[in-house]
Amino acid sequence: MKQKVRTLADRLRNFRTYHRYLGLFMGVFILISSVTGILLGWKKDVDLLQPPTQKGASTDLQQWLPLAELSARSLAGLDSAQAINNNPIDRIEARLDKGIVKTIFKEGSWEVQLDASTGKVLSVARRHSDWIEKIHDGSIISDLFKLISMNVLGLGLLILSVTGFFLWFYPRQIRKIKSE
């Protein structure tokens, strides 16, 4: 019986050590991921994080302007509103149900929303959620860092969960053995 208790106590000490140092190392990653995750959860509800989606005049695709013209108007809209030119387009998102297109630019997290049928600029604003997302997933440093850090974070959380379980389970077992 004493040998069983000693074995469990030794394992418990080892798990406590692993858990402590891994928790200290992972704490920074977990804190950053948690705070940015909370902000990203609110991005559709807080205008500062992501501009609200505007509404265009028509949802009929037949009345929409060609994509080439919409992209040119987006570039002109960003230049006239913020005096930013030569910012390459990252992507253009069509919101069929709203009758608009969102043009997202590669640099500065800028977004221009256009009425897809008239080409009128409805909104020019920063998408703070984009750079927050890059911090959240680690891609702000590089794609390789993102891959490595997300795997380390996932594996570390798995190990913390397992060692945490044993930190809860082994003392119960020791008390049970001692009471017998």
Side-chain angles (χ1 to χ4, degrees):
M1 179 170 90
K2 279 188 177 186
Q3 183 59 33
K4 221 179 206 186
V5 169
R6 187 179 309 232
T7 303
L8 288 175
D10 288 342
R11 285 186 190 165
L12 185 60
R13 272 188 222 95
N14 288 337
F15 279 124
R16 197 171 283 131
T17 303
Y18 300 147
H19 193 83
R20 180 184 308 122
Y21 289 115
L22 184 59
L24 286 171
F25 173 74
M26 299 278 303
V28 175
F29 290 107
I30 293 169
L31 180 66
I32 291 169
S33 187
S34 298
V35 170
T36 55
I38 289 168
L39 290 172
L40 290 172
W42 283 92
K43 73 180 180 182
K44 298 284 186 186
D45 301 311
V46 177
D47 295 349
L48 179 64
L49 296 174
Q50 186 170 318
T53 303
Q54 304 296 315
K55 197 147 180 74
S58 175
T59 58
D60 181 15
L61 285 172
Q62 300 297 325
Q63 296 179 11
W64 284 23
L65 296 172
L67 196 56
E69 186 173 339
L70 290 170
S71 66
R73 289 187 185 213
S74 294
L75 289 165
L78 182 62
D79 186 28
S80 67
Q82 297 296 325
I84 298 172
N85 55 12
N86 299 325
N87 191 348
I89 293 174
D90 182 40
R91 65 186 181 277
I92 297 176
E93 299 175 357
R95 301 295 168 103
L96 302 176
D97 60 328
K98 300 278 187 174
I100 61 120
V101 293
K102 288 184 179 187
T103 305
I104 291 86
F105 294 87
K106 286 187 179 180
E107 298 168 7
S109 301
W110 288 101
E111 167 188 285
V112 175
Q113 294 184 38
L114 298 174
D115 183 317
S117 59
T118 66
K120 179 182 172 194
V121 175
L122 302 174
S123 168
V124 177
R126 282 190 185 259
R127 293 171 54 101
H128 293 287
S129 61
D130 287 358
W131 63 264
I132 292 170
E133 187 173 342
K134 288 180 180 180
I135 291 172
H136 181 72
D137 67 10
S139 64
I140 196 161
I141 294 173
S142 73
D143 285 337
L144 179 62
F145 180 81
K146 172 185 174 179
L147 179 66
I148 293 169
S149 67
M150 289 299 107
N151 281 293
V152 166
L153 187 60
L155 185 61
L157 287 172
L158 181 63
I159 293 169
L160 283 173
S161 297
V162 170
T163 57
F165 170 77
F166 286 112
L167 288 174
W168 167 82
F169 181 73
Y170 280 165
R172 295 168 90 67
Q173 289 299 107
I174 291 170
R175 282 192 295 273
K176 183 179 173 186
I177 291 169
K178 283 183 176 180
S179 70
E180 291 175 351

